[in-house]
Every structure is written in C-alpha cells, then in structure tokens.
Amino acid sequence: FLLNRSSDLAVTAASSSRSVKEFCDNGNWNTVLSVVGGTVLGMASAAALRRKSCQTAQTSTSRGRSYDSFKEFKNDVGSAGAGNQWHHIVEQCQERKSGFDVGMIQNTNNIVSINADVHRLISGYYSSIQAFTGGLTVRSWLAGQSFEQQYQFGLDVIKMFS
C-alpha cells in the first residue's frame, strides 16, 4: 500500500508542476523522496540520500578536462566512489540528439559522482513524460536546447533529487 501511495504522490507532485524549477521551489521532491525513501529504505536512509546524493557539481564556465569517450574518462579519473555512480549533467545521448561535441559531454565539468540510488531516480525522471514536456520524455524534450540550458536543467534535476 505505501509503495503505491508513494508512486501516486510522485505522479501528483510532478504533474502539478510546470517546470523542474517549480517542482523544486515548491518542495515537492523532498516530500516524494521522504515517502518513497521512507518506505523503501527507512527514514534515516532517505534523509541521508537527500543530504548526500550529489558531490559538488562544477560550473560550465571553466573549460574542464575533455575526453574522447566515457571509457577514457573513467580510466583516467577512476571510480565514482563506494555507492556512487558517474552522472552526466548533460546526458550522453545529447551528443547525437543535440549535436554536442563529445568533448563537451565527456568533460570533468559535466560529469559528477552521485549516489547510485539517486542516479537511478534521475535516469527514470529523464525517461518520464512530464506536464511541461508536451507529451515527450524529458530526454527528448531537452533535445535541441542549448548546452547551457541543458546544463542548468541538469543541475536543477540534481538539486531536485538531492
């Protein structure tokens, strides 16, 4: 029952917001994560996820270090850390969908270490259809927007799930 109630709450909160910023500003994600996290992980774990889900994200204003592939990045930088995964602020698929250069996507300013559970939630969000996406998945809705717009959106999404 609680898990079904959690998913109902998540859908209601997401559909009542016109943008990610509005969703975050209204505090909806904290409510959703508390209910879902409390049901699945226990309240202490949910609170820890909110506080520790994302290590510092760098701004896109500095150049960062570019790589020819994600594999090259991982070989150079190493592990994301215990319980974490590497996350692209602007998704890798946007190389193809938006025509971004691989060096912009596979860049130390665009890749951050985040909690693995939060990473799965973010990935699910990008695969979802939201009220503001006009019937498209979030991922498809982003296609064609500028790198800067997608980068800011990606930071907002990280904050929403943190």
Side-chain angles (χ1 to χ4, degrees):
F1 170 75
L2 283 176
L3 198 51
N4 285 340
R5 174 71 181 114
S6 300
S7 62
D8 290 346
L9 180 61
V11 169
T12 301
S15 63
S16 68
S17 301
R18 291 181 302 237
S19 69
V20 173
K21 182 174 181 351
E22 182 178 303
F23 189 84
C24 293
D25 289 347
N26 291 338
N28 287 327
W29 185 248
N30 284 332
T31 302
V32 172
L33 189 57
S34 292
V35 174
V36 174
T39 302
V40 176
L41 303 169
M43 290 312 289
S45 296
L49 271 179
R50 280 196 311 273
R51 285 191 307 273
K52 298 181 181 181
S53 64
C54 177
Q55 294 178 351
T56 48
Q58 300 174 1
T59 66
S60 63
T61 56
S62 59
R63 292 184 56 87
R65 178 157 181 203
S66 295
Y67 296 88
D68 292 328
S69 68
F70 187 41
K71 182 178 180 180
E72 182 183 344
F73 166 84
K74 291 187 293 184
N75 286 341
D76 187 47
V77 176
S79 168
N84 289 349
Q85 294 177 343
W86 291 118
H87 171 72
H88 289 78
I89 297 168
V90 175
E91 288 191 304
Q92 294 183 82
C93 69
Q94 296 302 335
E95 286 177 34
R96 179 178 39 81
K97 288 181 174 259
S98 297
F100 297 141
D101 182 75
V102 67
M104 296 170 74
I105 301 295
Q106 307 303 341
N107 189 294
T108 55
N109 286 346
N110 188 52
I111 305 172
V112 294
S113 174
I114 64 173
N115 175 277
D117 293 325
V118 172
H119 192 231
R120 282 187 284 280
L121 292 171
I122 290 172
S123 295
Y125 178 76
Y126 274 85
S127 295
S128 71
I129 296 171
Q130 298 296 316
F132 62 90
T133 62
L136 301 172
T137 63
V138 172
R139 182 174 287 115
S140 294
W141 174 79
L142 283 166
Q145 295 184 35
S146 72
F147 185 87
E148 290 75 19
Q149 289 170 317
Q150 291 191 42
Y151 188 89
Q152 187 56 57
F153 182 89
L155 291 177
D156 291 344
V157 169
I158 290 170
K159 289 176 191 170
M160 179 172 73
F161 285 85
S162 296

